Amino acid sequence: MPLHLTKVAFGATGIENLAERLLVRAEAGPVFLTTRYLPKRHEEIAGQGSLFWIIKHQLIARSPILQFGEAEGGRIAIHIDPHLILTHARPKRAHQGWRYLEDADAPVDLGVDEVAGDVMPAALMGKLSGLGLI
């Protein structure tokens, strides 16, 4: 089973904003994020795992992780596919950097006939989750 990472989409106001930012970056070349350290479990992630994006305390989309590489200043580059895959929203607290996400805990992709608006709004889902109702 693949292993995934979660990361806050810092500064993104919504799914559309994040998707646009990634596609703009893709025009300039490969899209990657940098981190200080190579994840110890990187072999379980590269080529089979995804980076799940957190916006407003919800996991809402993912970008497949293509590979890990070197970046400037001795940092590590996490190369991702710039095209977002929307998922069913799942509550997730914000955190700094990235965190592991087991495949069994990862949200399911939205189906072909589903639209992000067809599911419970993220704000309502967050409040219900905070109350321990979902």
Side-chain angles (χ1 to χ4, degrees), residues 2 7-8 11-12 21 26-30 50-51 60 64 66 69 73-76 81 97 113 119 123 129 132:
K7 180 169 179 18
V8 173
R21 284 178 20 188
E27 292 174 3
S50 291
L51 179 70
I60 50 98
L66 306 173
R75 295 178 67 84
I76 302 298
D81 186 326
D113 298 334
V119 297
S129 176

Side-chain angles (χ1 to χ4, degrees), residues 26-43:
E27 292 174 3
V31 178
F32 62 91
L33 307 141
T34 60
T35 185
R36 266 188 234 171
Y37 303 107
L38 179 67
K40 290 181 180 174
R41 299 174 67 184
H42 68 278
E43 292 176 352

Side-chain angles (χ1 to χ4, degrees), residues 2 5 8 12 20-21 33-34 39 47 51 67 76 79 98 100-101 111 118 128:
L5 298 177
V8 173
E20 182 180 328
R21 284 178 20 188
L33 307 141
T34 60
L51 179 70
Q67 65 184 5
I76 302 298
H79 293 268
W98 53 264
Y100 291 117
L101 177 67
D118 289 345
L128 292 174

Side-chain angles (χ1 to χ4, degrees), residues 14-123:
I15 296 171
E16 298 82 13
N17 179 251
L18 176 61
E20 182 180 328
R21 284 178 20 188
L22 291 175
L23 291 176
V24 166
R25 286 183 60 190
E27 292 174 3
V31 178
F32 62 91
L33 307 141
T34 60
T35 185
R36 266 188 234 171
Y37 303 107
L38 179 67
K40 290 181 180 174
R41 299 174 67 184
H42 68 278
E43 292 176 352
E44 297 173 65
I45 300 169
Q48 54 189 354
S50 291
L51 179 70
F52 281 82
W53 294 101
I54 302 170
I55 296 180
K56 298 180 183 175
H57 303 284
Q58 301 287 316
L59 292 172
I60 50 98
R62 67 182 181 90
S63 297
I65 296 175
L66 306 173
Q67 65 184 5
F68 292 91
E70 294 183 17
E72 291 182 22
R75 295 178 67 84
I76 302 298
I78 304 172
H79 293 268
I80 60 171
D81 186 326
H83 301 285
L84 285 180
I85 299 169
L86 300 180
T87 64
H88 286 278
R90 172 152 314 151
K92 181 71 172 169
R93 285 187 162 174
H95 54 72
Q96 289 185 331
W98 53 264
R99 299 287 183 272
Y100 291 117
L101 177 67
E102 297 291 337
D103 195 50
D105 298 328
V108 178
D109 293 350
L110 284 178
V112 177
D113 298 334
E114 294 178 298
V115 180
D118 289 345
V119 297
M120 188 182 304

